[in-house]
Amino acid sequence: MTAPNRTRRGHGLHGLMAEFETPQELVDAAHHAREAGYTRLDAYTPYPIEALTEALHIQDRRLPAVVLGGGILGGLCGYALCYWTSVIAYPLNIGGKPYHSAPAFIVPTFECTILFAAFAAVLGMLGLNGLPMPYHPVFNAERFALASRDRFFLCIEARDPKFDREKVWAFLTGLKAHAVMDVDE
Amino acid sequence: MSDGSDKGKPESSIPQPKPGDTGILAPGYTFTTLTDKLASIALSRRTPFVWFVGAAVGFMLSMVLLGALSYLVIRGIGIWGVNQPVGWGFEIVNFVWWIGIGHAGTLISAILLLLRQPWRNSINRFAEAMTIFAVACAGIYPAFHTGRPWLDYWLIPYPNAMNMWPNFRSPLIWDVFAVSTYATVSLLFWYVGMIPDLATLRDRAKKMWAKVVYGMLALGWRGSARHWQRYETASLLLAGLATPLVVSVHTVVSFDFAAGIVPGWHATIFPPYFVAGAVYAGFAMVLTLAIPLRKVYGLQDFITMRHLDNMAKIMLATGLIVGYGYCVEAFMAFYSGNTYERFMMWNRMEGPYKHMYWALLFCNIIAPQLLWFRKVRRSIPMLFVMAMIVNVGMWLERYVIVVVSLHRDFLPSSWGMYHGTFFDKATYIGTIGLFLALMFLFIRLLPMVSIFEMRAILPEAKVEEEEGA
């Protein structure tokens, strides 16, 4: 957020978008863009490409931690529920078994662990991705609808410290891009 | 300044699905043609006539379910055949049967994902849908079997004015936790898996309402590389969570029996043998659905003979485990030296329900041995017949376990017979109708084959990491 959008012009520019026809071209272009020093860039593809994750230096390891936290919380809650219910709130003598019947509490504890961890995985993924997001500027790019079909897009964003519309345009055009387009805010 | 140069040696050790493997996907598809073909099923293609017939049958039978359940609520569960000594009849048989069917969906979507089996990509979506609908059908039975379904919320532990709490030492409350967690996690997994495809439908839709509805369901998915990275992590983690979950669900269902003392129920072999039986029944149901679906929707390019062959092999393998379970049951009855256990086994083989026992052995053990032959596995009619036989066999298995164990337990003076009444049968047929109706709606409205995962196994999806290229 420190980089000012110093090259904003017109009615606000989100960035420049280049369209590629193959995943290989996109991954190569992403490498080049990183090598050229651009840091605020994102790629849009119709399916996950692992090489792209590496090319763009995407390293977010928070999600597994969120899920682990969810699982641990779920396990503790599950066991606490069983214990509090069976020992404190509503002790029932069932066949002379101890109120604190740890083996019997395994199943609800396990299920709560999985349930909380699964919710943490889904909500964590959506939350970190900022979804649901009703509006995003990239959809203003013409032909962007093809990003969910058969085309591959690379966007260098206007908030990149090195962003200069003319230079970026020339740079993207030089990358064998099928087309280069403005993305309005 | 160029931090792009420190990326080191080729790290593409991530196992990509083998491209060019025509075995799981017919050659000649591109991102464009594949997307258009699969998206058109929900968006633009004319709905096949068979769909209307199937959906009509499904909805009509769902009406039977509504009727049967409404009458049940008015009259009570006396309209079913359950009574002393057989207090669990068709309803628990059907509950276990449906839950078991669901297991194949999770196995395909979670376990085969962890095992990096790309052939799952074309069948996982509708198998997961099958899981959810099967669990929905299963859930109806215990909910109404309580007799006062309007009080079912008592099963949930919550602070209440009666100051009552569930008993956590009971397998029945474990079941509530296991099945409700299973249903919730399956639904989450299914929905998350669909988000990128819903975005495809949103972008391909022509009609306004379709754009709006798919757009809302897609949550603004835009295919960003950053999103994909977290998405893939979340999918793997969910698969890792669903794997022990699916094993636990049928284990807990088997505890409903194994934790009791009735001969024929009280057995340690139950958990593994129930789980294997669940996968067995589930794959039979996946085949039952996949064979007509691929024909009607022309999906032979995506659900190929390789898929059917692989599923048949899994059926064969799990069927053998189930067979082992039957042998252990019989052996333990003999080896225990316990009169009641021995009688239980003898009663299964020679008692009044013996035809069911022998039919079950034929359906689950004898007939599927034909699957050893490649010719059988590669013959679609034979495979369909096999799947139907296993569907029936697994239902009979649960009938034998539930009813035949209960009808003659320790005291000969309290022996009795059980026969399902009209309403037992109507409820069963009704849930099959509900399952079909939900399945047909799903096929019509949502992407039944995972489009983005199919793109990933196209040959043109392969990316080579060229350093400094």
Side-chain angles (χ1 to χ4, degrees):
Chain A
M1 295 314 280
T2 50
N5 294 335
R6 55 196 166 88
T7 48
R8 274 199 183 182
R9 55 195 63 192
H11 47 286
L13 191 64
H14 173 73
L16 285 185
M17 182 92 89
E19 178 187 333
F20 297 92
E21 285 184 339
T22 70
Q24 187 69 58
E25 286 169 8
L26 173 66
V27 171
D28 293 343
H31 274 301
H32 288 302
R34 288 293 303 191
E35 277 160 20
Y38 294 108
T39 50
R40 295 290 189 167
L41 67 171
D42 204 347
Y44 301 91
T45 60
Y47 66 95
I49 302 172
E50 311 230 22
L52 192 60
T53 313
E54 288 167 33
L56 291 175
H57 294 249
I58 298 169
Q59 283 192 327
D60 185 349
R61 307 214 185 283
R62 285 175 292 173
L63 188 59
V66 170
V67 177
L68 179 67
I72 291 172
L73 180 70
L76 292 176
C77 287
Y79 201 88
L81 174 70
C82 295
Y83 183 86
W84 183 81
T85 303
S86 312
V87 179
I88 299 164
Y90 200 60
L92 286 171
N93 187 335
I94 308 283
K97 295 191 184 76
Y99 293 136
H100 182 195
S101 307
F105 299 166
I106 289 173
V107 174
T109 307
F110 173 79
E111 303 298 341
C112 289
T113 309
I114 299 286
L115 184 67
F116 280 50
F119 268 106
V122 173
L123 298 180
M125 184 273 287
L126 293 178
L128 291 171
N129 283 347
L131 300 175
M133 185 174 283
Y135 173 80
H136 194 277
V138 290
F139 287 101
N140 294 330
E142 43 176 339
R143 298 170 64 79
F144 185 74
L146 298 180
S148 68
R149 185 183 181 217
D150 53 0
R151 290 304 165 99
F152 302 81
F153 294 84
L154 182 70
C155 182
I156 298 183
E157 292 166 14
R159 58 196 173 127
D160 191 290
K162 275 191 70 182
F163 188 85
D164 176 282
R165 188 176 175 280
E166 315 307 327
K167 281 188 192 160
V168 172
W169 189 286
F171 173 75
L172 289 175
T173 314
L175 287 176
K176 289 191 284 184
H178 180 73
V180 180
M181 53 206 115
D182 279 323
V183 183
D184 296 333
E185 279 284 344
Chain B
M1 70 190 162
S2 114
D3 51 356
S5 58
D6 62 0
K7 57 195 169 325
K9 54 227 160 295
E11 274 187 55
S12 49
S13 57
I14 307 103
Q16 290 280 346
K18 274 187 237 107
D21 184 349
T22 53
I24 56 170
L25 176 64
Y29 278 97
T30 64
F31 294 127
T32 320
T33 53
L34 180 117
T35 306
D36 291 354
K37 179 157 186 185
L38 292 178
S40 73
I41 295 173
L43 288 176
S44 52
R45 211 189 291 181
R46 262 192 73 199
T47 311
F49 179 69
V50 182
W51 186 91
F52 289 101
V53 176
V57 171
F59 278 98
M60 279 193 287
L61 294 179
S62 303
M63 295 301 117
V64 174
L65 178 68
L66 283 181
L69 291 180
S70 307
Y71 192 62
L72 177 93
V73 170
I74 296 166
R75 291 292 306 275
I77 60 167
I79 65 168
W80 288 343
V82 288
N83 208 328
Q84 295 298 342
V86 181
W88 280 4
F90 263 51
E91 287 60 46
I92 302 301
V93 173
N94 297 338
F95 164 71
V96 181
W97 190 73
W98 277 120
I99 288 274
I101 282 170
H103 278 47
T106 318
L107 187 111
I108 290 170
S109 61
I111 300 181
L112 295 185
L113 178 73
L114 294 180
L115 296 177
R116 301 251 183 214
Q117 298 290 312
W119 62 274
R120 67 178 269 291
N121 289 9
S122 65
I123 51 172
N124 65 346
R125 176 69 47 71
F126 79 82
E128 281 169 41
M130 178 196 82
T131 296
I132 291 161
F133 303 149
V135 173
C137 290
I140 290 172
Y141 288 104
F144 281 86
H145 208 299
T146 57
R148 295 183 181 84
W150 52 93
L151 296 179
D152 279 350
Y153 64 91
W154 287 6
L155 292 164
I156 302 161
Y158 75 103
N160 54 60
M162 301 168 292
N163 208 14
M164 280 209 314
W165 290 87
N167 169 24
F168 282 104
R169 294 181 210 85
S170 162
L172 299 183
I173 201 78
W174 301 348
D175 227 15
V176 173
F177 274 74
V179 173
S180 59
T181 301
Y182 185 48
T184 313
V185 173
S186 300
L187 199 62
L188 285 175
F189 201 10
W190 185 58
Y191 176 60
V192 166
M194 260 190 308
I195 290 175
D197 288 348
L198 291 167
T200 297
L201 294 185
R202 170 198 66 201
D203 295 339
R204 308 282 312 139
K206 299 273 189 293
K207 295 190 189 93
M208 194 59 206
W209 66 267
K211 276 183 208 247
V212 170
V213 173
Y214 289 128
M216 290 206 292
L217 290 172
L219 305 177
W221 180 263
R222 54 186 192 274
S224 152
R226 284 163 218 287
H227 290 186
W228 277 123
Q229 187 254 345
R230 295 193 193 100
Y231 182 87
E232 288 287 278
T233 310
S235 299
L236 272 180
L237 289 171
L238 278 175
L241 292 166
T243 301
L245 175 66
V246 68
V247 174
S248 87
V249 173
H250 230 55
T251 300
V252 171
V253 169
S254 82
F255 285 165
D256 291 345
F257 303 97
I261 56 163
V262 175
W265 287 7
H266 193 62
T268 47
I269 190 72
F270 262 34
Y273 140 60
F274 264 55
V275 173
V279 174
Y280 188 36
F283 270 91
M285 188 54 95
V286 175
L287 278 173
T288 311
L289 296 173
I291 288 171
L293 266 186
R294 68 196 280 280
K295 175 97 180 116
V296 170
Y297 282 93
L299 296 176
Q300 288 93 336
D301 291 346
F302 307 112
I303 305 172
T304 63
M305 280 318 293
R306 171 81 68 91
H307 291 92
L308 302 183
D309 188 60
N310 282 355
M311 288 193 272
K313 283 178 185 162
I314 295 183
M315 246 170 66
L316 179 61
T318 46
L320 290 173
I321 303 176
V322 171
Y324 171 77
Y326 297 153
C327 296
V328 169
E329 264 190 324
F331 173 75
M332 291 312 288
F334 152 75
Y335 193 66
S336 67
N338 182 303
T339 318
Y340 303 104
E341 290 284 338
R342 285 184 170 182
F343 173 76
M344 175 278 295
M345 209 61 223
W346 179 86
N347 185 45
R348 276 188 190 177
M349 294 174 181
E350 291 294 323
Y353 294 104
K354 66 176 176 189
H355 51 284
M356 292 210 149
Y357 184 73
W358 294 111
L360 124 78
L361 287 191
F362 172 79
C363 290
N364 284 355
I365 308 298
I366 315 272
Q369 298 312 316
L370 284 176
L371 293 174
W372 285 103
F373 300 102
R374 189 182 155 86
K375 265 206 168 125
V376 176
R377 292 199 309 269
R378 298 258 163 178
S379 147
I380 291 175
M382 280 298 280
L383 216 46
F384 191 74
V385 170
M386 282 295 147
M388 292 312 279
I389 290 178
V390 173
N391 284 333
V392 173
M394 288 308 292
W395 190 88
L396 289 172
E397 180 204 294
R398 277 67 179 252
Y399 191 91
V400 166
I401 291 174
V402 173
V403 172
V404 181
S405 305
L406 280 174
H407 92 118
R408 288 181 174 175
D409 62 358
F410 303 99
L411 269 182
S413 62
S414 55
W415 288 357
M417 288 294 286
Y418 168 84
H419 299 289
T421 63
F422 169 79
F423 285 100
D424 281 305
K425 290 163 193 160
T427 316
Y428 178 45
I429 292 169
T431 48
I432 292 177
L434 177 67
F435 178 79
L436 288 178
L438 291 169
M439 208 67 207
F440 277 107
L441 279 181
F442 158 72
I443 289 166
R444 178 65 192 81
L445 296 173
L446 292 169
M448 73 165 146
V449 176
S450 175
I451 308 173
F452 84 91
E453 285 171 293
M454 290 304 287
R455 287 187 198 114
I457 59 173
L458 283 173
E460 62 176 319
K462 192 175 166 61
V463 175
E464 277 165 28
E465 191 82 357
E466 291 174 51
E467 286 320 297

